[in-house]
Every structure is written in C-alpha cells, then in structure tokens.
Amino acid sequence: MKVLMFHNVGEPPKNARLKSLYVKPEKFKRWLNLLDRLNFRFVKPQELEPTGRGVLLTFDDAYRDFLENAFPVIKALKAHAIVFVPAKFVGQFNRWDYQKVNAIKPIMNWEELSFLVKEGVEIGSHTLTHPFLTKIPPAEARREIEDSKKLLEDKLGVEVKGFCYPYGDHNREVVEMVKKAGYQYAFTTIKGTYAQSPSKWEIRRIYASGYWTTLRFLWECLK
C-alpha cells in the first residue's frame, strides 16, 4: 500500500516558488477518479497493510484549499483522508515558509476543521509552529509534539492519533518523543511504500507532485 502526500490542491499563484506543491483541482479529481475506477481502496491509517491495492491520502499544513478543492472530491468518492495541522497557526497562514515560497497560503480555522471532523476527515498534528524538530532544544521539541496534540484534542473534541514530522525532519530521539506523547502512527517525507517503513512512527510516503502527468501518478501508485 502507498501513502500519498499532498500540500495544496489549487492553482499556484503566478509568482509562487515551489509550484510542484500545488496539484490543480481538475488534475486532483482526475487522479482520484482514476484510482477509484481501478479499484484502489482509499484506506484509513489504521487500515494500512504491507500488501494490497490501497492508498492513504495525507495533506500537510491544513490549507484552506483542501476544504475548497480536495474535500468535495474525497466526499464524492466516499474516500478517507488525514489532514496534518500546525496547531498554533490555525486560522492564520504559512508563517514558517511564506517568504521562501513567495506565497501566503491561508490555513483553515477551528470552525472549518470542526466541520471536517464531523464529515469523517481525520485530523493529525503537524506540531505547533512547524519547526525542524531536530534543530531545536529537546524540551522545545517535546512541547511542540505534546502540546499540539492536546490543543487539537481540546478544540476539536476528538483523539489525535496521527503525527507528521515538519519537513520530514526526525531522528531516533524525536521518534521516541512522538511515541511517548501517545501518537499511534507518524509520517515522514522519505519516499517509499508502507511495507518499506521502519515502523508505524516512520511511515514513508509518495510526494504527489503537481508537475506529474496522470501517467506518472498512476505509475507511482502501481509500482
């Protein structure tokens, strides 16, 4: 099985950098409809298995274009998704990299996240402020991991089971922090299948590039 990693589902701003982060809405719809026609299962994190034709849809950073452009497609297909939220920036924007990518990307607010929870979308933690966890003091990293879980659970009224390492940045110490915080699974940015993942707290993913053709997307899901 494969875990697909998305960021933005929308049209990239004209002057934005890293436009591969944007999958255009019509392309996203075409990709998911194709997987559905080919009888791929859209699985939940706890349904991941080493073998089988299944995909898990993951979305980093909780951008509002998920609600506007991705969610309607996911709902129509009765699919599943997990959205990773930088909890301190709910209702704000991508403060951690807006200058680097030359784009201000709105992040969903609590009301919008609550709506998604009621619709069956899983919410995971992407820390409080999206730092490089191995480059900050351990006590600060622990706070980012633990307090984001608590904040999301308090605001949304659901258990937060999943975690995603910002920038994919992690080491053995950080992984142990995530385990001790009570997360049941965590996702990296290392390319690979679920079967190739070292553990449930180091799950590998496939970065779905907005530059891909439909044929390339299908190849990545099938190989």
Side-chain angles (χ1 to χ4, degrees):
M1 289 188 177
K2 306 284 177 63
V3 181
L4 299 177
M5 170 176 50
F6 296 91
H7 288 82
N8 292 96
V9 179
E11 295 285 341
K14 183 178 179 181
N15 296 318
R17 303 188 191 99
L18 293 180
K19 289 183 179 178
S20 66
L21 293 172
Y22 296 81
V23 176
K24 293 183 178 181
E26 64 274 15
K27 180 179 283 189
F28 180 79
K29 183 176 182 179
R30 184 163 65 248
W31 286 358
L32 263 61
N33 282 331
L34 178 60
L35 293 182
D36 184 58
R37 289 198 301 272
L38 292 173
N39 296 315
F40 274 80
R41 288 174 56 215
F42 295 104
V43 301
K44 299 177 180 179
Q46 55 270 31
E47 296 172 333
L48 284 169
E49 298 173 348
T51 59
R53 182 174 283 196
V55 292
L56 170 62
L57 306 175
T58 68
F59 297 81
D60 293 13
D61 307 325
Y63 294 124
R64 184 167 289 127
D65 58 24
F66 171 84
L67 179 62
E68 297 166 343
N69 300 324
F71 174 67
V73 179
I74 291 166
K75 183 175 182 179
L77 292 173
K78 296 181 172 60
H80 304 288
I82 180 168
V83 175
F84 297 109
V85 182
K88 204 77 176 282
F89 296 146
V90 169
Q92 299 184 42
F93 63 95
N94 54 320
R95 290 181 177 274
W96 60 92
D97 73 349
Y98 72 96
Q99 292 176 315
K100 177 183 177 182
V101 301
N102 198 37
I104 291 179
K105 307 177 185 181
I107 294 171
M108 288 182 282
N109 60 35
W110 291 115
E111 184 178 357
E112 290 164 332
L113 291 172
S114 295
F115 167 77
L116 290 177
V117 167
K118 291 173 186 173
E119 290 288 323
V121 175
E122 182 172 344
I123 300 298
S125 169
H126 209 24
T127 68
L128 289 170
T129 63
H130 205 288
F132 286 90
L133 289 171
T134 68
K135 297 180 180 179
I136 58 178
E140 191 175 333
R142 189 173 295 107
R143 182 179 67 83
E144 288 274 351
I145 293 164
E146 294 176 356
D147 289 6
S148 57
K149 187 177 194 295
K150 185 177 187 304
L151 178 57
L152 290 168
E153 290 177 341
D154 288 349
K155 288 285 189 179
L156 300 175
V158 292
E159 182 183 4
V160 172
K161 302 175 182 178
F163 183 83
C164 179
Y165 303 98
Y167 311 102
D169 182 45
H170 66 287
N171 57 22
R172 187 177 300 175
E173 186 178 10
V174 168
V175 171
E176 285 303 314
M177 290 180 191
V178 170
K179 288 183 185 179
K180 289 177 180 176
Y183 293 100
Q184 296 178 23
Y185 31 81
F187 298 82
T188 72
T189 58
I190 298 172
K191 185 174 181 178
T193 66
Y194 180 69
Q196 293 167 337
S197 305
S199 76
K200 289 194 301 180
W201 294 274
E202 297 168 273
I203 298 174
R204 297 181 176 181
R205 298 189 288 173
I206 306 295
Y207 167 55
S209 169
Y211 291 152
W212 283 358
T213 62
T214 298
L215 186 62
R216 171 70 186 276
F217 173 77
L218 184 59
W219 167 249
E220 292 289 347
C221 291
L222 286 170
K223 70 177 184 179

